[in-house]
Amino acid sequence: EAGVTQFPSHSVIEKGQTVTLRCDPISGHDNLYWYRRVMGKEIKFLLHFVKESKQDESGMPNNRFLAERTGGTYSTLKVQPAELEDSGVYFCASSQQGYYGYTFGSGTRLTVV
Amino acid sequence: EDQVTQSPEALRLQEGESSSLNCSYTVSGLRGLFWYRQDPGKGPEFLFTLYSAGEEKEKERLKATLTKKESFLHITAPKPEDSATYLCAVQTTTDSWGKLQFGAGTQVVVTP
């Protein structure tokens, strides 16, 4: 079974630019989550999709972040415009039903300069 | 406010030297406590879920236990391949289903 795939693995952009991160969950997993870890801090929840619907987006930092999940398959997380404090590692995870030990991707390391 | 605190921040062990990692939590209500292992450049890898005080889970050299205030991850006779960052996370009864709150992790290095 293929795992959770994220790309790009690394992205370096200038402040004010736009970046789009993509996550391909495990096939058949209805639940998709985004988390991020900023330097020196713990991993923090951003949002949770069930199929194409946003179940919980309480962790989204502000309206510069937009997450979508097309047709209940892959998801994108767009940051527009990017700020320095957005730098960190963005993780995506998926699970089949509810939460029972979901599978994480390897993450996208975003650096805003 | 919910809090998850892991200690120590870092741990250096000789191969075969058993030790324990601690995860203390202060939450309104605990739905589950999770342990993950994370290797450099990778995402967290699920190890265990514990749901109630007194519960224990084992996998190879790892054993996780849970009380009403904390969880321990015991590493018995570790090997160099056990080197990783170990993360604790909680799911609370007031958060949405699936949302996890993570601690900062314990970085474990096992030397031959």
Side-chain angles (χ1 to χ4, degrees):
Chain A
E1 162 179 272
V4 176
T5 305
Q6 292 187 247
F7 49 94
S9 56
H10 293 84
S11 180
V12 180
I13 62 170
E14 292 185 353
K15 176 182 172 181
Q17 288 186 323
T18 296
V19 63
T20 300
L21 314 181
R22 174 166 168 152
C23 170
D24 285 47
I26 292 172
S27 178
H29 282 192
D30 288 340
N31 294 275
L32 187 149
Y33 312 83
W34 284 98
Y35 284 79
R36 78 172 177 177
R37 185 171 200 161
V38 297
M39 185 69 75
K41 301 279 191 178
E42 60 273 15
I43 297 173
K44 291 276 196 186
F45 171 85
L46 294 178
L47 87 160
H48 171 201
F49 284 100
V50 178
K51 296 186 179 178
E52 67 274 9
S53 300
K54 291 175 185 173
Q55 178 77 11
D56 180 358
E57 51 183 331
S58 62
M60 295 288 264
N62 51 61
N63 59 10
R64 294 186 294 102
F65 289 74
L66 175 64
E68 295 179 322
R69 189 176 182 192
T70 306
T73 56
Y74 71 92
S75 175
T76 57
L77 180 64
K78 181 190 286 189
V79 185
Q80 179 183 29
E83 298 288 345
L84 298 179
E85 64 263 26
D86 300 332
S87 295
V89 182
Y90 289 76
F91 293 104
C92 174
S94 72
S95 70
Q96 205 156 22
Q97 48 179 177
Y99 174 85
Y100 292 106
Y102 40 69
T103 303
F104 279 86
S106 294
T108 293
R109 180 174 294 278
L110 174 65
T111 303
V112 183
V113 297
Chain B
E1 186 181 327
D2 299 330
Q3 268 196 320
V4 181
T5 305
Q6 291 189 245
S7 62
E9 289 183 11
L11 189 60
R12 192 173 185 88
L13 301 171
Q14 289 278 342
E15 185 172 1
E17 177 189 0
S18 301
S19 188
S20 295
L21 315 182
N22 177 265
C23 172
S24 64
Y25 60 92
T26 306
V27 298
S28 47
L30 183 72
R31 186 177 281 153
L33 185 141
F34 305 86
W35 282 98
Y36 282 84
R37 167 197 171 118
Q38 186 174 21
D39 293 301
K42 300 281 185 66
E45 176 189 345
F46 172 72
L47 293 173
F48 305 109
T49 310
L50 302 166
Y51 294 105
S52 56
E55 191 174 356
E56 298 182 351
K57 293 270 179 78
E58 279 188 77
K59 180 180 179 179
E60 296 179 355
R61 295 176 293 282
L62 301 177
K63 179 180 177 180
T65 61
L66 181 66
T67 72
K68 288 187 178 180
K69 292 183 179 181
E70 58 192 348
S71 177
F72 291 94
L73 183 67
H74 307 279
I75 310 178
T76 301
K79 297 182 178 181
E81 53 262 42
D82 295 321
S83 298
T85 296
Y86 291 86
L87 300 166
C88 165
V90 298
Q91 191 178 51
T92 75
T93 54
T94 52
D95 283 334
S96 64
W97 187 265
K99 177 180 177 179
L100 295 182
Q101 295 187 50
F102 282 85
T106 294
Q107 185 176 29
V108 174
V109 174
V110 182
T111 56

